[in-house]
Amino acid sequence: MSIKVNEQEKVFHLQTPDSSYIFRVYGKSRLLHLYYGKKINDHAHLEDSLRWFGAGGASIDAEFAHLGSKSVSFDILPQEYGFFGSPDLRKPAFHAQYADGSRITCPVYEGYRITPSKPRLEGLPSVYTENDSECDTLEIFMKDEVTGLRLTYLYSVFNDRDVITRTVIAHNEGKQNIDIKAIMSLMIDFKDDDFDLIHLEGNWARERHVERVPLSRMGANVYSRRGLSAHDHSPFLALARKNADEEHGDVYGFSFVYSGNFEAGVESDRYNQARVYMGINSFDFNWRLEPGQSFTAPEAVAVFSSKGLGGMSRTFHKLYKSRLCRGKFRDKVERPVLINNWEGTRFAFTEEKILDMAKIAKRVGVELFVLDDGWFGKRDEADSSLGDWYPHKEKLPDGVAGLAKKINDLGLDFGLWFEPEMVSPDSDLYRAHPDWALHVEGRGMSQGRNQYVLDLTRKEVQDYIVKFMTENLESAPIVYVKWDYNRHLTEVGSASVPPERQAEVSHRYMLGLYSVLERLRARFPDILFEGCSGGGGRFDAGMLYYFDQYWTSDMTDVVERQFIQEGTSMVMPAITMGSHVSICPNVHIKRVSPLRARGYCAMCGQFGYELDITKCSEEELDEIAEQSVFYKSIREIIHSGEMYRVRSPKGRDGAAWEYISEDGKSVAFAVFNILAYPSNYPRRLRMTALDPDARYRLRGTDEVYDGAMLMYSGLAIQPMDDFDGQMFIFDKE
Ligand code: DGJ
């Protein structure tokens, strides 16, 4: 049992293999947070260091007033969940307005329930379990007697992983409407703020760069107000103790299983106590709960690691690849090597061109051909036809089915690009249903990439997407879908939502999208779905519930990719990271790098090519053929086991990533260089997590290495040229 309850003292102790999370009921009915961190045995004396009263006496809770004015101050005590309107004046986790205009929420503890396993969240993506022994779920019942608001806090505590998932369900048991203005899924009060904060910042073509900054009294937050989780910030942050590094020290990681507007941050109070929060962004959010209605906040996942950032990432990787990803491809580490025509042709392709590409691709070992944007309507530029999902007659004279058959006849599988959530103003769909795009009556509509966003709050729009996707996917042997999404939400409004609920539209959009994806996944369980959003925008845990993998970035330059893949690997496993080799000079950044390095870097994700292969020289084709063979021989190592970030890209040195297969018998060690050192000599790179008593043979050679030597002295890496890379494969003897 991972949840222990001391009934007498009303203390809840949630335990994972290496962590403890403790809170208690204090006074008559408040919840006081006592501890989150490395596992401890007992809660005794955790309250010794609490500051019960602080300067600024306005914050004494009425319930404790009888103890004397200097006894208890809500504003400095660690709360389990903070409310606006209480004497806790820090950032509230919950803020609502009631029908009488009041904004005070003051719920009291009513009881708890523990159940084995973990409930799925209605209409929302969430981590799941496969049997009851994997985790227990604690529900804490809170009730505001004045308004009738009931809140249930859910904690699912895993027995064999250092994971606690959290969410909150609000239910209106009163007689009047309740407007929820903020509802965080997770809030944790720490007793100090001696942390570094780690988050992932980015932009198009430079997604998810790791930034580590000391936490200060100014606090910090990451967020999206763009309607999707976006390129700018990921719905993730970590707090690391100052001495924590890649493999050592305490780290708390928080990941949000949601793809829309989010906020996550840390506030450091006047006593230097950190409050962490994560939830739907309260910016432009209001959710009306009529009597009898409920609202479920999306899930937040908390991971504790006493083995540094690497330990945190491996916990996320294991959890997400086995208990968030679903379906047939979840356990399929051997996914196809693909070629995508986008960078090779953009919109300017013919069927003949595609078949020429496919023929050569087949020759060099590619397994799947993906036809990208431009195959439908009259789309020859990014200025029309989104919504008109029928074949472009000039480009595909025999339709999608005809092309797919010809590709199949060449011995390749066939995949297709869609951008289902969008509509072009120049499209039959928009002309027929102008009201189906998100808009506000009487206001202009801004375009992004010449397109509007469909109003997925509307059931008929959801049905339309499911219908045309179904028709297309049934019309041809399509085994793979790339689901793209290329603009942000503006003029957020929906004619189908009443005026008082307009601030629900962004979240209702996400619920509509999740519903569409759920229906399509159920209908097409054998299709491999890859998500995409202008490269790697919206690559979040919410999307991984529906998409087997995700296009990590439009940037395929080997140097920039190291930063992107390193940051992405903070939370996402390699098996989910679409990663392709493109041409040189790189189309976006003009860098020239060796094909082998581009290959090795792409092999650290779901491998493929993104180029006009008809333009490759014979030498390049030979090398590509070797790469395909090599990748197929190692993909199980990369995707089945654990990843260790041995060296982060920095200065002249590139990344070094180590992958140990699930059975521990094979190791792939990818090492990259950024800029060559003059007068260089072989440098040793210490590998990690090997068996010190085992011997490892370097694949393809007779060289055998002592495991301890590889870890404690290191593998000698010969000097490399600018932007080069190597991959070493070891097999345990
Ligand atoms: C953006 C994606 O990131 C690209 O890979 C490509 O699919 C284009 N959209 C097509 O418009």
Side-chain angles (χ1 to χ4, degrees):
M1 169 65 84
S2 48
I3 300 167
K4 294 178 185 155
V5 185
N6 180 321
E7 297 285 355
Q8 209 176 4
E9 295 180 57
K10 294 212 187 86
V11 175
F12 297 88
H13 189 157
L14 285 43
Q15 280 188 330
T16 70
D18 194 33
S19 75
S20 286
Y21 182 109
I22 306 176
F23 61 95
R24 67 168 302 167
V25 181
Y26 76 112
K28 274 186 281 187
S29 50
R30 310 287 185 214
L31 291 186
L32 179 72
H33 181 80
L34 293 181
Y35 178 75
Y36 182 34
K38 180 95 180 155
K39 187 173 188 170
I40 58 177
N41 300 313
D42 189 13
H43 67 275
H45 299 292
L46 281 175
E47 290 165 60
D48 293 356
S49 59
L50 291 184
R51 300 173 183 91
W52 294 90
F53 182 79
S59 58
I60 298 161
D61 184 21
E63 186 184 326
F64 298 93
H66 65 284
L67 295 174
S69 65
K70 290 202 176 231
S71 298
V72 173
S73 173
F74 233 49
D75 196 25
I76 58 173
L77 282 171
Q79 306 295 320
E80 188 52 24
Y81 198 69
F83 295 92
F84 181 86
S86 79
D88 172 11
L89 300 176
R90 293 165 289 186
K91 180 175 169 77
F94 188 87
H95 185 187
Q97 177 152 10
Y98 301 92
D100 62 1
S102 90
R103 281 109 53 231
I104 292 176
T105 306
C106 195
V108 297
Y109 170 79
E110 286 207 319
Y112 76 92
R113 177 169 61 193
I114 296 174
T115 42
S117 194
K118 178 175 188 301
R120 297 229 182 191
L121 304 181
E122 180 77 32
L124 285 166
S126 64
V127 165
Y128 59 89
T129 51
E130 289 198 330
N131 61 66
D132 288 357
S133 65
E134 289 184 33
C135 86
D136 297 305
T137 297
L138 168 68
E139 290 164 277
I140 296 285
F141 304 116
M142 306 289 292
K143 176 111 187 242
D144 185 302
E145 290 301 344
V146 176
T147 60
L149 173 73
R150 175 179 290 284
L151 291 172
T152 305
Y153 310 159
L154 275 91
Y155 306 77
S156 292
V157 186
F158 282 75
N159 289 314
D160 61 350
R161 324 167 186 263
D162 292 305
V163 173
I164 298 176
T165 65
R166 285 182 59 178
T167 192
V168 174
I169 299 172
H171 183 65
N172 186 351
E173 292 181 353
K175 294 190 167 51
Q176 296 176 336
N177 292 341
I178 300 174
D179 284 320
I180 300 175
K181 299 157 89 70
I183 178 165
M184 293 298 108
S185 299
L186 169 149
M187 186 196 103
I188 301 177
D189 276 353
F190 289 88
K191 293 191 194 107
D192 67 88
D193 65 355
D194 197 19
F195 293 106
D196 282 346
L197 187 136
I198 291 145
H199 73 108
L200 306 173
E201 61 88 22
N203 194 349
W204 173 77
R206 52 170 294 274
E207 294 88 343
R208 290 173 295 283
H209 282 223
V210 178
E211 186 173 51
R212 179 171 182 157
V213 288
L215 189 60
S216 81
R217 272 300 303 280
M218 288 168 67
N221 60 72
V222 293
Y223 56 88
S224 174
R225 298 188 294 258
R226 293 170 180 269
L228 69 156
S229 62
H231 300 75
D232 309 52
H233 298 288
S234 287
F236 157 80
L237 63 82
L239 290 183
R241 287 297 178 191
K242 300 284 181 186
N243 64 353
D245 59 20
E246 190 56 32
E247 296 300 330
H248 311 94
D250 291 357
V251 176
Y252 303 82
F254 304 102
S255 164
F256 198 30
V257 190
Y258 186 61
S259 315
N261 290 335
F262 70 92
E263 59 177 315
V266 189
E267 191 175 271
S268 175
D269 73 9
R270 49 171 67 182
Y271 291 94
N272 295 91
Q273 305 179 112
R275 167 169 291 184
V276 180
Y277 55 89
M278 178 170 261
I280 292 179
N281 200 332
S282 43
F283 162 83
D284 192 38
F285 174 81
N286 189 86
W287 195 274
R288 172 151 296 187
L289 273 190
E290 290 171 12
Q293 291 183 337
S294 296
F295 179 84
T296 303
E299 182 166 277
V301 178
V303 163
F304 172 77
S305 161
S306 60
K307 295 195 173 67
L309 281 164
M312 172 202 75
S313 296
R314 286 184 288 282
T315 301
F316 275 124
H317 294 173
K318 271 195 204 158
L319 179 75
Y320 283 179
K321 74 181 178 186
S322 65
R323 293 294 180 268
L324 179 62
C325 293
R326 299 177 291 169
K328 166 177 165 178
F329 293 96
R330 184 190 76 174
D331 303 320
K332 193 162 166 34
V333 291
E334 299 195 342
R335 298 189 194 165
V337 175
L338 68 81
I339 188 163
N340 178 304
N341 71 304
W342 175 245
E343 290 217 352
T345 65
R346 304 267 156 171
F347 297 101
F349 60 84
T350 59
E351 186 186 77
E352 196 186 354
K353 175 74 187 176
I354 295 299
L355 291 173
D356 285 347
M357 292 169 85
K359 265 178 225 147
I360 299 178
K362 171 66 187 170
R363 203 180 95 202
V364 295
V366 169
E367 297 161 308
L368 165 69
F369 192 99
V370 178
L371 183 62
D372 210 279
D373 196 354
W375 61 266
F376 51 92
K378 54 184 180 62
R379 189 152 165 104
D380 295 318
E381 271 307 324
D383 59 1
S384 81
S385 305
L386 293 169
D388 298 346
W389 300 104
Y390 40 81
H392 189 301
K393 290 197 188 71
E394 282 84 57
K395 291 185 191 172
L396 303 182
D398 296 327
V400 170
L403 175 65
K405 171 151 191 332
K406 289 172 203 172
I407 297 264
N408 287 171
D409 289 346
L410 292 172
L412 289 174
D413 283 331
F414 180 73
L416 198 57
W417 178 98
F418 293 88
E419 195 175 359
E421 298 161 70
M422 298 291 161
V423 61
S424 304
D426 180 8
S427 66
D428 293 343
L429 179 67
Y430 187 69
R431 283 182 283 274
H433 297 287
D435 53 323
W436 279 13
L438 279 181
H439 70 285
V440 176
E441 270 322 303
R443 296 279 174 190
M445 291 165 72
S446 36
Q447 297 180 19
R449 210 190 190 214
N450 312 305
Q451 62 202 49
Y452 301 137
V453 185
L454 285 173
D455 180 357
L456 269 82
T457 69
R458 299 171 79 127
K459 180 73 169 64
E460 65 271 34
V461 173
Q462 297 169 20
D463 292 344
Y464 169 75
I465 294 177
V466 171
K467 179 170 177 289
F468 78 71
M469 287 299 293
T470 302
E471 284 167 3
N472 271 286
L473 297 179
E474 283 178 344
S475 74
I478 296 167
V479 302
Y480 162 107
V481 164
K482 179 174 173 185
W483 183 294
D484 205 348
Y485 177 94
N486 283 301
R487 61 156 291 181
H488 303 154
L489 304 190
T490 58
E491 292 87 35
V492 179
S494 170
S496 70
V497 174
E500 67 280 10
R501 288 187 177 271
Q502 286 293 315
E504 298 176 9
V505 170
S506 296
H507 182 57
R508 285 187 182 275
Y509 180 94
M510 288 317 310
L511 297 178
L513 173 61
Y514 290 148
S515 157
V516 165
L517 291 172
E518 189 66 41
R519 287 161 72 185
L520 288 171
R521 291 301 327 231
R523 176 70 191 76
F524 298 100
D526 294 332
I527 291 183
L528 176 67
F529 279 79
E530 177 154 349
C532 174
S533 173
R538 206 166 74 174
F539 188 175
D540 55 57
M543 284 290 130
L544 281 193
Y545 195 62
Y546 307 97
F547 296 141
D548 307 295
Q549 53 194 56
Y550 211 96
W551 179 225
T552 308
S553 177
D554 282 340
M555 175 55 71
T556 41
D557 166 65
V558 67
V559 176
E560 186 56 38
R561 264 282 171 158
Q562 288 170 49
F563 292 91
I564 294 170
Q565 292 183 194
E566 170 105 352
T568 306
S569 78
M570 281 291 144
V571 182
M572 302 304 184
I575 196 168
T576 63
M577 285 162 51
S579 196
H580 302 168
V581 176
S582 65
I583 56 157
C584 273
N586 179 273
V587 289
H588 303 300
I589 210 168
K590 308 289 174 247
R591 198 176 345 254
V592 175
S593 60
L595 178 53
R596 74 166 181 164
R598 280 175 274 147
Y600 290 140
C601 189
M603 288 178 204
C604 296
Q606 286 298 343
F607 184 65
Y609 292 89
E610 183 100 12
L611 40 73
D612 182 354
I613 202 161
T614 64
K615 292 191 179 145
C616 291
S617 67
E618 280 306 315
E619 293 78 59
E620 285 172 326
L621 290 177
D622 288 346
E623 196 171 340
I624 289 175
E626 280 169 26
Q627 284 180 342
S628 306
V629 170
F630 179 69
Y631 173 70
K632 288 173 195 167
S633 74
I634 65 156
R635 57 188 161 188
E636 209 203 324
I637 309 176
I638 305 275
H639 300 309
S640 71
E642 300 206 314
M643 181 215 189
Y644 293 82
R645 291 178 294 258
V646 169
R647 185 176 69 190
S648 293
K650 194 174 174 203
R652 288 167 179 258
D653 294 325
W657 299 322
E658 185 182 313
Y659 301 85
I660 303 183
S661 62
E662 197 173 19
D663 60 10
K665 289 190 179 145
S666 300
V667 183
F669 191 35
V671 182
F672 300 95
N673 196 39
I674 296 183
L675 290 176
Y677 286 86
S679 307
N680 206 358
Y681 57 92
R683 286 156 194 266
R684 301 192 84 86
L685 253 185
R686 285 192 292 276
M687 297 177 68
T688 189
L690 302 178
D691 178 351
D693 300 322
R695 291 164 65 75
Y696 292 85
R697 181 178 297 276
L698 182 62
R699 205 178 272 186
T701 73
D702 292 330
E703 301 295 330
V704 177
Y705 294 74
D706 168 34
M709 192 284 290
L710 286 173
M711 285 201 291
Y712 309 135
S713 175
L715 177 70
I717 310 289
Q718 297 300 323
M720 285 184 269
D721 292 341
D722 290 355
F723 321 131
D724 204 354
Q726 300 181 61
M727 175 94 79
F728 305 90
I729 309 297
F730 292 96
D731 294 302
K732 203 170 169 183
E733 293 225 298

